Amino acid sequence: MSSPRGIEKGPARADDAAGDATTAIDPAGAQDATGAVEVFVSYLTWALASPAAAADPLRVSQNLGGHLNMGDATMLDMRSHDDSTDLNPSKGAYRVLGHSGDESAPDQVMLEFVAPLESDDRILWRKFGGVVAWVDGRWAPTSMQPRDVPQPADLTQTVAGMSDEERTRVLDGLGWTLFSNAQE
């Protein structure tokens, strides 16, 4: 698996297509950190960018498994949704910040990813962090929070295509990994 200079590709795959879903999604993932990342990214991409979420905005949090804390659920349900929003996690990177339980089969995983959020011909890079918990044999988000990040000079650039200096500034910290299907 080839990787750009300075950052490796990891095992988690970004599901950019979740943003195109016209119905609620129900992503499945293995009970490991990779599965947790994949489910979290799919759910968040669906919540922010899908026509299905835009069509029924007051039920977005319930369509994410119903385990989000009340503050994050309200934030997602009350945000403005429109069909012009797109989130492309495969242009970004992710990292696992920690877990509880057995490392090979964790009960919870804390993670974050950085990706461009596009709307009405505007691009804004954001960091999305949160926790997913293993509930009834599947991953369910319990928290989801957006954060600001320093913006790259070229907003259309992918993390893989950024210089080492710019990538370090945008990602801010250690442990970042490209998605296995990262756009270069």
Side-chain angles (χ1 to χ4, degrees):
M1 178 180 316
S2 71
S3 294
R5 192 179 80 257
I7 189 166
E8 297 293 318
K9 284 188 176 182
R13 181 174 178 77
D15 180 11
D16 291 349
D20 299 325
T22 57
T23 61
I25 62 169
D26 192 15
Q31 188 180 1
D32 58 21
T34 299
V37 168
E38 291 176 346
V39 168
F40 182 85
V41 171
S42 292
Y43 269 140
L44 194 60
T45 301
W46 179 87
L48 296 180
S50 76
D56 193 7
L58 296 179
R59 293 184 39 85
V60 168
S61 64
Q62 291 208 306
N63 287 321
L64 301 179
H67 294 279
L68 272 177
N69 69 62
M70 183 179 280
D72 292 352
T74 301
M75 177 186 62
L76 272 176
D77 291 345
M78 300 308 288
R79 75 173 282 283
S80 158
H81 295 268
D82 66 56
D83 289 337
S84 71
T85 302
D86 200 9
L87 180 63
N88 294 296
S90 65
K91 292 182 179 180
Y94 71 94
R95 68 178 169 180
V96 173
L97 300 170
H99 71 277
S100 67
D102 185 344
E103 186 173 2
S104 64
D107 301 320
Q108 296 184 68
V109 175
M110 179 184 285
L111 60 116
E112 56 190 6
F113 73 98
V114 171
L117 185 63
E118 301 177 38
S119 184
D120 295 326
D121 298 325
R122 290 189 52 222
I123 300 172
L124 179 67
W125 281 76
R126 298 299 301 258
K127 181 186 293 183
F128 303 96
V131 175
V132 289
W134 190 254
V135 179
D136 298 326
R138 60 187 313 102
W139 289 112
T142 59
S143 69
M144 293 180 153
Q145 285 287 317
R147 303 260 191 271
D148 291 331
V149 297
Q151 298 300 296
D154 178 357
L155 296 173
T156 63
Q157 185 85 304
T158 65
V159 167
M162 291 178 188
S163 68
D164 289 343
E165 181 180 315
E166 186 154 58
R167 187 180 310 118
T168 298
R169 189 176 62 77
V170 171
L171 297 181
D172 187 33
L174 302 173
W176 290 95
T177 307
L178 293 174
F179 290 97
S180 65
N181 61 327
Q183 294 183 37
E184 297 181 35

